Structures are given as structure tokens and as C-alpha cells.
Amino acid sequence: MRNKFIDNSWIFGLICLLSQNTMAGGTLTFPGGAQSADDNINGKLTFECGAQLINNPSTVLFYQTVTNPKGCAELTCQSANCTANSTTAIPTLYIIGTPASWNFQSTPNNSGTQMAYENSNNAAGNITVAANGTTTLSTVSGSADYNTVTLNSGSTLNFTANALGPNGTQFRFSSLVVGNNATINLQPGDYWVKAITFSGSSTITVQGASGTARIISPSGNILIPQGTHNWNVNGTACQFLWYQYDNSLMDFTGSTANIVGLIYGDGQTLSNTTVKGSVTGGDVISFKAGTQITYDPTGPQCMFPPNPNAFQVVAPTTMSSCQNATVTVTAQTSGSINPSYTGTVTLDTGTGKGSWISTTGHGTFAGNNPNGQATYQFVAGDSGVATFQLSYPAPGPGGISFDIDVYQTNNANISGTSGNVTATQGTFSVVAGSTEVAGTSFPVTITAGCGTGANYTGSKTIQFYTTYQDPVSGTVNATINGTTVANSGTATPTTQTVVFTNKVATVTMNYQDAGKLSLTATDTAGGEVSGTSNSIYIKPDHFDITGAGIPGTSSANGAVFTQSGTLIKAGDPFAATITPRSSTGAITPNYGLESTRESVKLASQTVALPTGSGACSGSPCNGSLNNGAIAIVTTPILAAGQFSGTFSYDEVGSINAVATIASGNYMGAAGDVPNKPVVLMGRFIPDHFDVVASSPAASFNPAISSGATPFTYLEQPFLYSVKPQFTATARAKAGTTTQNYSGSLWKLTLLPSSQTYAVATGQPTLNSALAVATTPTCVSTGYGFGTCTFSDGGGFKFMKKTGYPLTFIAPFQAAIQLQVTVVDTDTVAYTNNPFLFGTINPGSGIAFVSNGNTFYQGRLFVQNAQGSELSTLNVPVIAQYYNGTGFVTNVNDNTTNINSANNITLTTKALGNSASFSTTATLPSPSAFVNGMSNIILSQPTPSGATGLANVQVNLGSAKANMPWLQHNWPYAGPMDGVYDDDPMGTGTFGISKGTKPYIFQQEKY
């Protein structure tokens, strides 16, 4: 059993020492940092303390056994100790594609047979690089073969790139001797070395940012002596591969090696080696103390990309015996190009006829003979793509059709085909416009080319058919000169007579569908002449738009707006159907079925409404159609060629909308539709209103504010100081302002019934009849904003409580709320209807100026008075309010005013010995009450000295003093009916004493 030992090792990238693995499956050969490729899965791995596998994808390794040390601080696979997978073998790695003409290269072939190196009599000879010197090797007489190349101490060996090998640069050596501290700078490519020795420290680099340098050697035992060996340490794991076979031994005894790359060995033994990295061997490997193997999967992934699983073969559908056809072959993996493919392919017409020429490939081409077959070996420089020319002999009348097959020479299961190619005697050049419009006729020029002779003129019988290119199928046939033609080469072609003049004819083509297609014209008389046009991109002429609210209303003059019709809220989804049509109005059913599917975009072009004074204008008012593009995911939602989308418009009014190709460029080549009919859409209305109270806030004036405490009597009218007003903002569903809600689209008109007044619980009834009978004033302020203002209509009144027995109302602080239901004539509403001014919580209703929200139940009281018949008499008049227990003087009333003696009624009566008695009433000046008190002045009676009384009544009704709120339900006015409509009355008495004895007044004259 062979033993492998690695001590204090590290490799950045992947160093794999494997037995017989396959280059085609290189990524499978290097699944981890360390594995065995022994055919019988006999590999055995032993770790010592201090040895560890880093970043490995699994703790299970491809070995028969894995032995871990005991009592060590670290785990051999980082997260756990490594274990063995004893059932799965690692694929073999072959170096393939080496030409048999090489003089002394040998490699394991697919059967595993080992071939020896040969000595070369044509080699360049021996090369010696002097100590500390530099030598650059290049080709000699077209060869890069050398016998012995010796690098002395400190020397440097460079290489000039060439293109001799399948991997690019190629050099071959019988022997390579590397002295102490020597440096080798490799170009990407292959370096075949029969024997290699090292005598001290060494450095190997790979020049350039890409490509792989491969050292391939059956060198027997390679002894890596003491020293430091840095191989590709500044490169990537993809750039370096050491491929060792023929049971050779690599021994790094006593050395330190730093390697970035992949190392593959056949039957390797590594003893006492200090390497950091990933190591794999055939049988037994021992990782001693200090060994660290860091796995980098990018190395094998880059160096060994997956094999192709197909070839794409692109060829023309027609060719002629007088003109070569261009055929492009692309290696593909899972539908994508495989730029690293370097395999050999076979090209085959399948007819035993045809000659091939390589035109762009950098690899080896063989088969320039007329049997229809050729082989080509791809190289890295091809990037997976090669182009060839095919010439085909004259096929005779009717031509011949065949497929071009391409397959991997060593595996016919990896293949591809061109599809049908028709070879003809001669050619037509068929030229149409590259972009056309569905339904609009366009010219196609047919020019007789090679194989038709110099006098191809006159009437010719021509067969026509079209080929769907994208979409690859369809239901609409094109016409040529008004005659329907077949829509594929497999259908029966349509034959018609075409007149050629000097080898040129022009026909008229019309296609009522969309897509990309070509036209083939064939003359089958004599030797067949045929030609296929360029690709013709045909786009719809225009789109129709239908749906709810589209258009608003139609008239004889076209689409116009009216107030009726479908109303759609701004931001609400609405459906529209968009139909692509030809210039004649036919549906184009293939639109939207392209390989890269086209879709439709609906956009607002201009705003049709609002109009008039105050209407929004300019770009802020145009709005936008959200979800403007209909994404086509599967087949059209409705019938073929019809698309249904859900849209929303974020403004109000009516818009002129157009539908266009969403990409703006049909199939990346044909541009947008040429015609864009404008369609009226709408009317759109706001989704809702936002409402806020305007500033300054609404407030009431107390009726009486002349005292220390402003107040109002029950049933005394009070008015607004600041009228309630709110600002309404028209909004779309998303909350944006609909700036078009102005001008003719301002629809916020509130009815009187929209307003309601409420008061706090337990407070008297508020008479708001005048206010709620008044229509609020709503005006647009432009750009989606407006105000509504509310009037008091002439005043509010808190009502007394009527009924008997009498119930008086104690003073209270009014809490009045205005509730407004905000709805416009389109039923657009405030979200939180009703909008509220104030609350009905005591102290937080609509404010009163100077906090004058105190209300009293009041009355005017006329107090009885007595006096001398020889002078005037003051009759006290008192403004009173109910304080909760009784009526008291209202000392805060400095406003009540009887105003005129005409508002006073006197009823007189003579008393005593007086035969007659009269007096008159006047008011003091000023006549306003002071601290709730005033007087009525009765004049000295007439005739002089007459005695009597006068009943003094203050008329508070609306026709007189107009202070009905101070009327009361007085007992002297008749039955107590609980209605507060009685005027106050008192008595003034002249000359009558209070007792039974005469009383001499102080002012009496004797």
C-alpha cells in the first residue's frame, strides 16, 4: 500500500491529488478539499493533531476510511471530525484533445492506457539559464519543443504565448531542471514535461488575469527539496493545474509549499510535506501536524465548466448552388452559451453532398471534401461559437431540402440541428421594408440573382409563402398582389404570375397581423430559383380602448363630456379593454404572443375637463394613469389580440387617453404604433374630502356684554361673531389632492338640510330654525380646495320651558355644536361625516366671545312706588334672573333699555277727593339699565294736587320695546298658563298714605 504524508500544509484554492479523472467532468473530480479517486474506493486518510480541512462543503469525505487523532484541540473538519463516504467513487480526469502528430506528448486516453514520452529529434536542444539571469522561450521554426532546459540559481524563465495547443500556448520538454530560488513565469496554456527536478526554493507564476496554465507530467518521483515553494500564490485557483500520472511520486519532504490551484496526481505519494490547502491521493494519505487545506470551489468551476448538452445551429432556410450558406454553431449548456467548450464536433448535411469551410474558428478543422461532413475542434479562443461556410452542388429541378446536424464527435447524444434548409439552382434577392404596419400594403422587390442567367425577364410563375418567425405560428395569412399566400413552407405554396423587367419585379404585400415574418419566392421552372426576404417586423396600426366610462358620451361631433355617464372615483380601479388593430380595423391576434411578449401602455395625454374660471391648468393638473402598462404573462385574457387591464386615475375630470406599445419599440425594432387615437375617459370624481375648520375659529357673540359677566337671556337672540367655515380638500384614494376639482368640476354645494345644531345634555332647547333654513355658501378656491361658510340666519335662541306649574331654568354655560353632512352633488363625501364644529360637552362647544356662554332665564320687574301728588314719582324697573332659588337683580345687565316712553302704557285712576287724575311717563337719560336697575318717571299729576294711581306696564313685545325674552308669566295677567308672554306691570300712587291717617309729605308746601 502506498502512503501519502502531508505535514504543516496549506493551499489557497484547491490542490487535488487524484487517480485517473476526467477533464470533461472536472467539477465532479474536485468536489471538496480532499478526496480519493481510487477506482476501488480504497483511499485511506489519516489526520494528526494540528491538521485540519477548512471550508469543506461536507464533513463526509470520499475515502474508504478516515482516521482522526485523539485528544486534539481542533476538529479535523472544523465543525466536526471528518468521516468517510466509502461507497461513492470520484470521476476520472482525462487530458483530452491532444493531437496525434505531437512528437513527444502522451496522455492517458479514454481507455486508461498509459503511453510513454518519445524523444524528439526536432527539439530545439538544450537551454541553460545562467544564475540570476533571464531567458524567454518562444517557438523555433514553428515548434515549441525542447530537450533539457536548466534554470540555475536565482534565474528566471519566461514564455512567449503561442497558439500551438488546444488550450492556447503549448511547450514540451524532455527535462526541466529548476535550481534554487528559480522563477518560472507561465503563460496560460499547456506545458508537457517528461521529467522535472527541483534543487531548492522555487516560484511559479501564471501571467494574465484569465486562462489556465497546465503542467502535465509522467515524471516519476518528483522530489521537492527543503526551501519555500510559492506556486501561483498571487493568482486564482482557476489559473494553475499540475497534472501528474504514471504512478509518480511528489515528495515535499522538509519543504514549505504555498500553492493556489489544482493538483491532480495518479498514484502519488506525499511524505512529510508542509502544504496548506486541499489534497487528494489514490491510496493512503496522512495529514500531519500543521496541515491546513482550504477548499475554494471557484477553481474547478472555472477551470472545468460543464459540458454542453446541445448545439445551436443557425442556417438560412434557403441557399443556392451559386452562393455559400453561412452556418453558425454555438455550444450551449442549459440553453446558455458555453464559452469554455473545447470539444470536437461533426458537421453533417445528411445527404452525402456539400463542402465545408471554417471561417471564424481558431481550432482545428478537417473535412474540406464534398461528402457533406467535416469535423472541428473548438478551442478556448472560440468562446463556444464557430462559423462555417457550406457550398452545395446544383440540386436540379425542384431543389433539395435537408437538415444540418451538428453533434459531438465522441458523443452523438450531444447534438443540434438547423431545421429545414432548401438548396436551389439559383437565388432571388427578396427585399422588403424592415418595419411595416399591419393592414397597410407595402412593396417587396424580387431581384433574380446568381443561377438565373442574364436574360431573366418577362412573366414568371412564382410560388410564395411566408414563414412565421416570431411568434412561430399564427392564424392570419398575408397577401401578395391581393392573393392570399401560404403561411409556411410545408403548406401548399400559392402560385401567381409575376412580371420581371431586367431581372427585377415588385409585388405588393399586405399582412393584417403583427409579428416578425419572412417571405419566400420560388421559380420552379427549369432549375429551381428561390430566395427568402429579410425579417419583416409588422406592428399594429393603433389600439382601441373600451370600457366603463370610455368614452363619456358620444355625439355627432365625436366624444364629448357631459355631466351624466359613468363616474369613477380618483384612484379606484376600473377596467379597460385594449385591442390592437390593423389600419383596416382588423384585430391583430399575434400581438402579445411574441417570444418576448409585448404589452400595452395606457396613458393620459391631455385633460378634457375641468374648464372655465378657476379651473386647474398646467402639468400639475394632468394626473397620471397608474398601472399604465398591461403586463402580458400568459395568453391574452380575452379573445386573441385583446387585453384587459385594471387602471386607476389619480385626478378628476375627463382625460384624453391614448394606448401605445409599452416598450415604445415593437420587438426592439419597429417603434411605436403610427396612429394613436385619442379616447375620452371619465368623468372621474374625488374619492373623498378631507375637511378642516378654517381659522379663525367660529364663535358667538353674547347678547349682553356690558357687565362683568357677559351673558344672554333665554329667548334672546344671539349671533355669530365669526361664522363657522371649513376648508374642504378633494382627495384621490391614495390621499393626494385632486387639483382638477375646481372650475366646472366644483360640485360641493350644500343644502340647508346638511346642517344640524346640538347642545349639551340637560340644556334647554336651542331654536336654530333661522340658521338651518339658510343655504351654506360653498366656493372653490382652486386646485382642489374650497370653503363652505355657515350663517346664523338672524340668530339663535335658547328657549324657556313652558307649561304649568312653572319650571324656571337656572343659569348654565351653553355648549353648542354644529354638525354638517359634507356631500357634493356627485355623492363624494367627507370620510368621517358629519363634520363637527365644537362639541356638546359643557365648556367645549363653539366658543363665545369673552367666554360669554352664560345664559339666564330673565324677566323685567316693575316695582310699586308711592309719592306726593305735588311732585314726580320714580317707579323702579328691575332686570332680574332666576338664580336657581328665586329671581334676583341682574347686576351684570347694563344693556337692557326700554328706549322710549312709547313702550310704556299707563292706566290711571283718581283717588280720594280728586275728580280727575292724570300723569305721564318718561325715561331717565341715559335710559339704559345700570347694574340691572332703571326707573320710569311719572310726572306730577294734573290737575295739580290730584291724587290717584297709575298702573305702569312696560310693553316688551316686538312692536314696542322688542324684548320678549324679559316677558314673564305674571299672575295679574290672567290665568297662569305657563307661557312667558306677559308684560311686567307695577303701580305708582300719588297722595295716598299707606295707613288710614293722612300723611303729610316732607315736600308738601304749607
Side-chain angles (χ1 to χ4, degrees):
M1 180 179 293
R2 294 167 295 182
N3 296 304
K4 293 89 181 170
F5 299 96
I6 302 171
D7 189 13
N8 300 317
S9 325
W10 67 271
I11 298 177
F12 288 130
L14 176 65
I15 301 176
C16 294
L17 306 169
L18 306 174
S19 66
Q20 296 182 356
N21 301 325
T22 171
M23 183 71 75
T27 53
L28 301 177
T29 302
F30 302 100
Q35 48 271 320
S36 169
D38 196 339
D39 293 338
N40 296 317
I41 319 176
N42 291 324
K44 296 178 176 61
L45 173 61
T46 301
F47 285 93
E48 291 187 0
C49 284
Q52 200 172 30
L53 188 59
I54 307 297
N55 292 341
N56 208 58
S58 174
T59 59
V60 181
L61 309 181
F62 294 97
Y63 289 97
Q64 178 67 33
T65 62
V66 173
T67 302
N68 294 296
K70 296 181 180 180
C72 302
E74 67 284 327
L75 301 174
T76 54
C77 275
Q78 283 186 289
S79 61
N81 281 326
C82 302
T83 59
N85 176 351
S86 59
T87 60
T88 304
I90 296 300
T92 302
L93 178 65
Y94 292 111
I95 298 292
I96 62 174
T98 53
S101 61
W102 290 359
N103 286 328
F104 57 89
Q105 101 305 322
S106 295
T107 182
N109 61 20
N110 289 344
S111 66
T113 302
Q114 303 296 318
M115 297 180 290
Y117 261 77
E118 301 175 5
N119 290 323
S120 173
N121 296 323
N122 299 320
N126 299 325
I127 299 295
T128 300
V129 185
N132 299 317
T134 300
T135 293
T136 300
L137 297 186
S138 58
T139 59
V140 177
S141 300
S143 172
D145 297 346
Y146 294 87
N147 283 331
T148 300
V149 175
T150 302
L151 282 70
N152 284 313
S153 177
S155 62
T156 300
L157 178 62
N158 298 322
F159 293 89
T160 299
N162 60 50
L164 297 178
N167 197 34
T169 296
Q170 174 185 277
F171 286 88
R172 293 176 291 190
F173 307 93
S174 293
S175 176
L176 181 61
V177 180
V178 183
N180 185 36
N181 290 321
T183 298
I184 302 174
N185 297 319
L186 303 174
Q187 295 289 335
D190 292 337
Y191 299 84
W192 296 80
V193 184
K194 183 176 183 181
I196 183 169
T197 60
F198 292 85
S199 59
S201 297
S202 65
T203 300
I204 299 176
T205 70
V206 180
Q207 305 297 299
S210 61
T212 301
R214 307 192 300 187
I215 296 178
I216 307 165
S217 176
S219 183
N221 293 342
I222 301 178
L223 302 176
I224 310 299
Q226 291 185 350
T228 300
H229 302 274
N230 294 317
W231 294 355
N232 192 38
V233 293
N234 294 319
T236 67
C238 180
Q239 290 180 290
F240 184 66
L241 170 67
W242 190 298
Y243 184 91
Q244 193 80 12
Y245 63 100
D246 274 355
N247 296 319
S248 55
L249 169 70
M250 291 189 71
D251 189 347
F252 285 82
T253 302
S255 64
T256 298
N258 305 321
I259 304 173
V260 176
L262 312 182
I263 294 182
Y264 173 84
D266 177 29
Q268 296 288 342
T269 298
L270 291 89
S271 299
N272 300 318
T273 304
T274 302
V275 178
K276 292 183 179 179
S278 173
V279 176
T280 301
D283 286 336
V284 179
I285 296 178
S286 176
F287 291 166
K288 292 192 174 182
T291 298
Q292 284 192 337
I293 305 162
T294 302
Y295 180 53
D296 180 358
T298 63
Q301 291 170 1
C302 169
M303 195 180 299
F304 306 110
N307 281 331
N309 52 22
F311 296 101
Q312 181 189 56
V313 184
V314 179
T317 57
T318 61
M319 63 175 295
S320 71
S321 60
C322 55
Q323 187 177 24
N324 289 350
T326 299
V327 179
T328 301
V329 178
T330 303
Q332 291 185 329
T333 299
S334 300
S336 300
I337 188 171
N338 185 335
S340 302
Y341 180 64
T342 55
T344 300
V345 298
T346 297
L347 299 89
D348 192 353
T349 64
T351 64
K353 296 180 180 180
S355 298
W356 291 95
I357 302 172
S358 175
T359 58
T360 65
H362 299 84
T364 302
F365 176 82
N368 189 10
N369 49 58
N371 66 356
Q373 290 188 336
T375 61
Y376 177 75
Q377 180 179 343
F378 280 79
V379 295
D382 293 331
S383 298
V385 181
T387 301
F388 308 91
Q389 294 288 318
L390 173 65
S391 64
Y392 204 86
I400 186 172
S401 296
F402 55 88
D403 294 334
I404 298 173
D405 297 320
V406 177
Y407 55 88
Q408 187 165 293
T409 305
N410 64 357
N411 186 356
N413 291 324
I414 304 174
S415 62
T417 185
S418 66
N420 191 66
V421 178
T422 300
T424 63
Q425 177 74 25
T427 63
F428 283 139
S429 170
V430 183
V431 178
S434 59
T435 61
E436 302 293 347
V437 176
T440 300
S441 298
F442 55 92
V444 179
T445 300
I446 306 172
T447 303
C450 66
T452 60
N455 297 315
Y456 193 87
T457 191
S459 296
K460 304 292 182 181
T461 300
I462 305 299
Q463 294 179 340
F464 291 100
Y465 67 86
T466 58
T467 300
Y468 295 112
Q469 294 181 343
D470 192 3
V472 296
S473 62
T475 58
V476 178
N477 291 64
T479 64
I480 297 295
N481 292 336
T483 301
T484 301
V485 299
N487 57 20
S488 74
T490 59
T492 302
T494 303
T495 300
Q496 56 183 281
T497 299
V498 177
V499 178
F500 283 78
T501 302
N502 296 326
K503 306 184 72 167
V504 178
T506 300
V507 297
T508 299
M509 184 173 177
N510 190 293
Y511 186 55
Q512 295 281 349
D513 202 352
K516 181 174 71 171
L517 71 163
S518 62
L519 174 67
T520 299
T522 303
D523 182 352
T524 60
E528 182 166 300
V529 179
S530 184
T532 299
S533 73
N534 54 287
S535 294
I536 310 168
Y537 293 86
I538 301 178
K539 59 190 175 184
D541 176 79
H542 65 278
F543 295 100
D544 280 351
I545 310 170
T546 56
I550 309 169
T553 300
S554 296
S555 73
N557 297 322
V560 298
F561 171 83
T562 67
Q563 298 294 332
S564 62
T566 301
L567 300 178
I568 306 170
K569 287 188 174 182
D572 261 3
F574 66 93
T577 298
I578 301 177
T579 305
R581 295 190 182 272
S582 71
S583 61
T584 64
I587 295 176
T588 56
N590 264 1
Y591 185 88
L593 298 179
E594 303 82 2
S595 56
T596 299
R597 296 194 172 205
E598 291 287 355
S599 57
V600 180
K601 182 179 182 181
L602 185 64
S604 170
Q605 187 181 58
T606 57
V607 174
L609 280 176
T611 60
S613 176
C616 182
S617 62
S619 59
C621 314
N622 291 340
S624 64
L625 274 168
N626 300 323
N627 308 321
I630 301 179
I632 305 302
V633 180
T634 57
T635 55
I637 298 174
L638 301 177
Q642 290 185 297
F643 310 103
S644 179
T646 300
F647 304 88
S648 62
Y649 180 59
D650 62 1
E651 262 296 348
V652 303
S654 290
I655 58 175
N656 293 316
V658 294
T660 58
I661 295 172
S663 67
N665 190 14
Y666 185 59
M667 299 184 74
D672 207 344
V673 289
N675 295 305
K676 302 176 179 65
V678 175
V679 176
L680 185 69
M681 299 178 65
R683 181 165 55 96
F684 297 92
I685 62 176
D687 177 79
H688 64 277
F689 293 114
D690 283 350
V691 180
V692 294
S694 301
S695 180
S699 62
F700 292 109
N701 269 324
I704 298 176
S705 57
S706 55
T709 301
F711 69 94
T712 303
Y713 288 113
L714 298 187
E715 298 189 5
Q716 182 179 20
F718 58 96
L719 306 175
Y720 279 123
S721 173
V722 177
K723 294 179 180 180
Q725 184 185 81
F726 64 64
T727 297
T729 305
R731 302 286 193 188
K733 190 171 187 177
T736 57
T737 301
T738 54
Q739 299 187 63
N740 285 351
Y741 193 75
S742 59
S744 60
L745 293 184
W746 175 261
K747 305 293 182 183
L748 184 55
T749 301
L750 299 182
L751 297 175
S753 58
S754 65
Q755 49 192 332
T756 302
Y757 285 87
V759 298
T761 301
Q763 294 189 351
T765 300
L766 178 70
N767 185 337
S768 59
L770 296 177
V772 298
T774 304
T775 300
T777 302
C778 295
V779 295
S780 169
T781 57
Y783 297 95
F785 298 93
T787 62
C788 289
T789 306
F790 302 87
S791 171
D792 52 36
F796 303 87
K797 294 186 289 186
F798 273 108
M799 305 306 293
K800 300 173 184 177
K801 189 173 183 180
T802 60
Y804 193 83
L806 299 179
T807 301
F808 304 131
I809 298 173
F812 65 93
Q813 279 68 49
I816 303 174
Q817 179 184 71
L818 170 58
Q819 304 172 354
V820 182
T821 301
V822 184
V823 182
D824 76 358
T825 56
D826 288 331
T827 71
V828 178
Y830 170 51
T831 305
N832 298 316
N833 263 333
F835 181 75
L836 306 177
F837 292 95
T839 75
I840 56 174
N841 297 320
S844 58
I846 298 174
F848 278 72
V849 173
S850 302
N851 295 319
N853 63 334
T854 298
F855 281 77
Y856 296 140
Q857 179 164 349
R859 70 182 185 182
L860 200 64
F861 174 66
V862 179
Q863 183 174 311
N864 294 333
Q866 290 178 321
S868 170
E869 69 275 17
L870 300 179
S871 65
T872 61
L873 177 65
N874 289 338
V875 178
V877 183
I878 305 169
Q880 295 180 326
Y881 75 94
Y882 183 71
N883 69 356
T885 58
F887 283 91
V888 297
T889 302
N890 188 351
V891 297
N892 289 305
D893 190 344
N894 296 301
T895 300
T896 294
N897 196 329
I898 299 173
N899 286 315
S900 172
N902 292 331
N903 297 326
I904 300 171
T905 299
L906 297 180
T907 303
T908 61
K909 180 180 180 181
L911 297 175
N913 297 321
S914 298
S916 63
F917 174 84
S918 67
T919 185
T920 59
T922 59
L923 295 174
S925 180
S927 59
F929 283 45
V930 176
N931 296 328
M933 302 289 292
S934 186
N935 291 294
I936 295 174
I937 304 171
L938 298 179
S939 66
Q940 181 178 343
T942 58
S944 179
T947 62
L949 60 83
N951 290 326
V952 181
Q953 180 174 306
V954 180
N955 300 313
L956 298 177
S958 58
K960 292 294 185 176
N962 194 25
M963 292 187 290
W965 53 89
L966 291 179
Q967 290 179 325
H968 191 63
N969 190 192
W970 295 105
Y972 52 75
M976 298 292 286
D977 57 5
V979 178
Y980 298 92
D981 58 356
D982 300 331
D983 291 325
M985 184 172 65
T987 301
T989 304
F990 288 87
I992 300 300
S993 66
K994 298 179 181 178
T996 58
K997 296 180 178 180
Y999 180 82
I1000 300 175
F1001 287 93
Q1002 184 177 0
Q1003 295 159 329
E1004 185 174 357
K1005 295 180 180 180
Y1006 298 95

